[in-house]
Amino acid sequence: MTENAKQDACPDFPQPPIEAYDEMIGTGSIDSVMPQPEQKPLVVMKDFVDLSQDQTEIEFLIKPLMEANTIGAVVGASGAGKSFVVCDLSCSIATGRPWLDKPVLKDGPPVGFIGEGNRGFVRRITAWEKHHNVKIPRGRFYLPECRVSFDEAGARLIADELAKLPEAPSFIFRDTFARFLPAGADENSAKDTMAFINLLDSIRDQFGCVVC
């Protein structure tokens, strides 16, 4: 076999220093002389006192009702008016008007994903404008033109499109929860629900907004 053939047949493995061979012969093990990866603990415990000293001031979207950069939900019986509550909330964020007499503190626009179509929700927004005698300015409220699935591919698409907005959103909402579960997912399954919430968390982490 030629020297080149020997080199082709033998892969390159990390070699210990020459002077280490005497030690290998003496111990019968190569582990003691080969570089070992750094072992990191799987769980790091921190003292409560240290954690309490690291606290930062709470940021609110609507003080004191809604913290910024959180996951939330509007919960109620069917027909209780949950969609109207979210419409009123998002319009207040879009215009900077107080909501339930509480100040809106974050300036980013709301983004809504409407599972039953935008047409009815746009009528609600228009009614809100007439009731409050105020117009929502351009660039202050966004609704996607088509329905997007909140699976892994859909979450990446959503994040890409949100990144193109002139201003990062402060509030993202879905209406309804069941309408945006990935195909085949069961809203009564803890596993499917947790996978869905993890996708929402990834969007929240990227934009630092409230996802509802």
Side-chain angles (χ1 to χ4, degrees):
M1 183 181 291
T2 65
E3 189 63 31
N4 288 338
K6 290 180 180 179
Q7 292 177 355
D8 292 339
C10 300
D12 288 332
F13 290 106
Q15 297 297 317
I18 295 298
E19 60 271 15
Y21 280 99
D22 289 340
E23 182 178 343
M24 283 192 292
I25 293 171
T27 61
S29 172
I30 196 171
D31 293 338
S32 60
V33 293
M34 288 297 291
Q36 297 297 308
E38 180 183 357
Q39 297 295 320
K40 295 183 178 180
L42 297 178
V43 178
V44 178
M45 298 296 179
K46 294 197 71 174
D47 192 290
F48 163 75
V49 174
D50 296 329
L51 291 171
S52 65
Q53 293 173 349
D54 291 339
Q55 293 185 83
T56 58
E57 185 176 352
I58 297 174
E59 283 191 271
F60 286 96
L61 174 58
I62 299 175
K63 188 175 183 178
L65 303 177
M66 186 179 294
E67 289 188 31
N69 194 15
T70 54
I71 295 284
V74 177
V75 180
S78 178
K82 299 184 294 295
S83 295
F84 288 95
V85 171
V86 173
C87 180
D88 184 40
L89 169 61
S90 55
C91 288
S92 295
I93 294 171
T95 57
R97 291 173 56 90
W99 188 65
L100 301 180
D101 296 324
K102 307 301 181 183
V104 175
L105 300 183
K106 302 286 281 188
D107 196 40
V111 176
F113 294 87
I114 313 302
E116 298 176 353
N118 290 340
R119 186 176 301 175
F121 200 83
V122 168
R123 287 199 292 265
R124 293 174 185 175
I125 296 174
T126 302
W128 185 94
E129 290 180 315
K130 290 179 180 178
H131 177 75
H132 292 281
N133 193 28
V134 63
K135 294 292 291 183
I136 296 174
R138 181 174 294 277
R140 292 297 307 161
F141 202 146
Y142 293 94
L143 303 170
E145 289 184 335
C146 60
R147 185 180 172 192
V148 181
S149 177
F150 274 72
D151 53 17
E152 289 188 16
R156 288 193 296 270
L157 176 62
I158 291 167
D160 289 344
E161 291 303 310
L162 292 176
K164 297 175 184 178
L165 296 179
E167 188 176 9
S170 63
F171 182 62
I172 299 173
F173 65 93
R174 303 147 295 102
D175 188 8
T176 61
F177 180 84
R179 285 275 185 167
F180 285 99
L181 282 172
D186 179 4
E187 65 178 309
N188 296 312
S189 164
K191 179 180 178 181
D192 291 348
T193 301
M194 182 54 65
F196 181 63
I197 292 175
N198 286 340
L199 291 175
L200 301 183
D201 259 331
S202 69
I203 296 173
R204 175 190 62 82
D205 287 340
Q206 182 169 347
F207 296 98
C209 58
V210 173
V211 180
C212 178

